[in-house]
Amino acid sequence: MPHSNTIHESLTAVFQVRRFLADVSAGRGSARHPELAVLLWQRALDPQKGTWSLPGGRLRDDEDLDTSARRQLAEKVDVRELDHLEQLSVFSAPDRVPAPRRIASAYLGLVPLTTEPALPSDTTWHPVAALPEMSFDHRTVVDHARTRLAAKLSYTNIAYALAPDTFTMSTLREIYCAALGYDVDTTNLQRVLSRRRVITPTGATAPSGRAGGRPAALYRFTDSGLRVTDEFAALRPPS
Amino acid sequence: MPHSNTIHESLTAVFQVRRFLADVSAGRGSARHPELAVLLWQRALDPQKGTWSLPGGRLRDDEDLDTSARRQLAEKVDVRELDHLEQLSVFSAPDRVPAPRRIASAYLGLVPLTTEPALPSDTTWHPVAALPEMSFDHRTVVDHARTRLAAKLSYTNIAYALAPDTFTMSTLREIYCAALGYDVDTTNLQRVLSRRRVITPTGATAPSGRAGGRPAALYRFTDSGLRVTDEFAALRPPS
């Protein structure tokens, strides 16, 4: 049977905006700008021993792909800390890994800024802008996930899954800048997100930083599930 | 081997907005309102003989899924007539079809209004609002494809793949109404699509209908590829 050896697997790019330390080796790093990071584990065995892989693995006979992706992730990071998980696309090039053929259903997962999941010893966060040597086509999967995230930041409220429960506009701007990879103006961001009712003021303020100054207003995301924030007014169903 | 019998297949919901005839059996039907239609073929053999299926089939060892989906479609409809083809998601419930297990990568395909593809004798267009008895989970795939199309109509220019090269606003409104399943106001649609530069006037006009009256302006889609038409101004990269 020519088809009998094909394996189906899930592969998830789990993203978090994280504040990486400038100098970890000195034992006391200073906080840097937040960066978009992806969760990777290092292969202890061949093929491609030493390269870094996305979490994932083989689909079982008794589960569907979403269940399988969550099960595989549970081995690397507590899935209760995932605020968003969605299918990206299927990577099915016949030669994407050495035989036997593996067809990979890729997922995008998001973890909020303030969460610090416990990780196994072979697993760590890497800045997406400075990836280590990646296994097989996993770098392409990361690129694809990042493109999807950037697109959805522009027409949905998906940033809720990267933000803490409440946040200042300054923090939210850092999250958008890190996830998009370019600078965003705080005032403009606040105006657009408020007009579309993506974010809501909580009425509370954040404690002043060491520098003092006026306390900053705290916001939250209006909805906790994904929604398209800009349906054409012209296209809304009659209410 | 517990995994050796799994088959991977593609399944494509090909949509077209079509003017169905009110009474085909009388040989001379009268034109009705356009409706969203999907391309289905009727199974001549068991399992589920007589039910209607989406075009698709088994992934070959030497092709990826996109190639496979286009190849399978070529047997039902000339793929040069497809203006858009995108992956939806994977249908992987272990019991979705009788054994052996089949994992289906679902696609959305779009054919423009004025195209009339030649079809094999077992294949025909059905209004999405009045589907016949469908095979397996194919109705769920159609629902999923329709939901994706409606969402993308609200934040992308995807309607280019359903519209003729040039069209009046009246025709474009019919396409949006049929694809969305509810009424849309022509003036509002024109205002929103023009402001976002989704459509452009050609400068020409359509011939008057039998009723006479003022000739209607012809429009075209500004871009021939898919793009998100509403990136937040705040989120655009610096130019």
Side-chain angles (χ1 to χ4, degrees), chain B residues 27-82:
Chain B
R28 257 196 74 201
S30 58
R32 290 199 302 172
H33 283 301
E35 288 189 60
L36 188 67
V38 63
L39 196 67
L40 302 176
W41 63 279
Q42 190 167 30
R43 303 182 86 83
L45 300 170
D46 276 324
Q48 303 204 351
K49 180 179 170 180
T51 65
W52 293 83
S53 292
L54 295 170
R58 184 187 263 225
L59 177 70
R60 288 188 184 156
D61 280 352
D62 59 352
E63 64 186 3
D64 65 17
L65 276 160
D66 289 8
T67 307
S68 190
R70 288 185 182 277
R71 178 179 60 76
Q72 304 281 357
L73 281 178
E75 295 168 9
K76 300 294 181 188
V77 52
D78 189 333
V79 290
R80 286 170 302 183
E81 290 155 346
L82 269 183

Side-chain angles (χ1 to χ4, degrees), chain A residues 213-234:
Chain A
R214 206 167 53 165
L218 284 171
Y219 292 81
R220 62 176 175 79
F221 275 85
T222 311
D223 302 292
S224 60
L226 189 68
R227 72 174 174 91
V228 172
T229 51
D230 175 59
E231 299 172 35
F232 290 176

Side-chain angles (χ1 to χ4, degrees), chain A residues 184-232:
Chain A
V184 170
D185 177 70
T186 311
T187 307
N188 209 8
L189 187 67
Q190 179 179 352
R191 185 176 54 79
V192 172
L193 296 181
S194 297
R195 192 178 59 207
R196 296 184 174 185
R197 298 196 192 97
V198 174
I199 58 171
T200 308
T202 65
T205 54
S208 299
R210 282 173 302 182
R214 206 167 53 165
L218 284 171
Y219 292 81
R220 62 176 175 79
F221 275 85
T222 311
D223 302 292
S224 60
L226 189 68
R227 72 174 174 91
V228 172
T229 51
D230 175 59
E231 299 172 35
F232 290 176

Side-chain angles (χ1 to χ4, degrees), chain B residues 17-33:
Chain B
V17 175
R18 292 179 65 81
R19 294 197 172 88
F20 282 93
L21 300 182
D23 187 1
V24 177
S25 61
R28 257 196 74 201
S30 58
R32 290 199 302 172
H33 283 301

Side-chain angles (χ1 to χ4, degrees), chain A residues 41-77:
Chain A
W41 64 278
Q42 191 167 30
R43 304 182 86 84
L45 300 170
D46 275 324
Q48 303 203 353
K49 178 178 172 179
T51 64
W52 293 82
S53 292
L54 296 171
R58 185 186 263 225
L59 177 69
R60 287 186 185 159
D61 280 352
D62 61 350
E63 64 187 4
D64 64 19
L65 276 160
D66 289 8
T67 307
S68 190
R70 287 185 183 276
R71 178 178 61 76
Q72 305 280 358
L73 281 179
E75 296 167 9
K76 299 293 181 190
V77 53

Side-chain angles (χ1 to χ4, degrees), chain A residues 131-197:
Chain A
L131 292 175
E133 192 185 353
M134 301 278 290
S135 318
F136 312 118
D137 56 359
H138 292 202
R139 182 183 288 263
T140 309
V141 177
V142 172
D143 289 345
H144 196 99
R146 183 170 200 177
T147 301
R148 172 76 67 94
L149 173 61
K152 286 214 160 172
L153 283 169
S154 81
Y155 62 82
T156 76
N157 63 343
I158 198 170
Y160 82 85
L162 291 170
D165 289 343
T166 64
F167 46 83
T168 62
M169 279 312 300
S170 166
T171 297
L172 190 62
R173 176 187 160 274
E174 287 182 332
I175 291 169
Y176 272 84
C177 291
L180 290 166
Y182 52 78
D183 208 21
V184 170
D185 177 70
T186 311
T187 307
N188 209 8
L189 187 67
Q190 179 179 352
R191 185 176 54 79
V192 172
L193 296 181
S194 297
R195 192 178 59 207
R196 296 184 174 185
R197 298 196 192 97

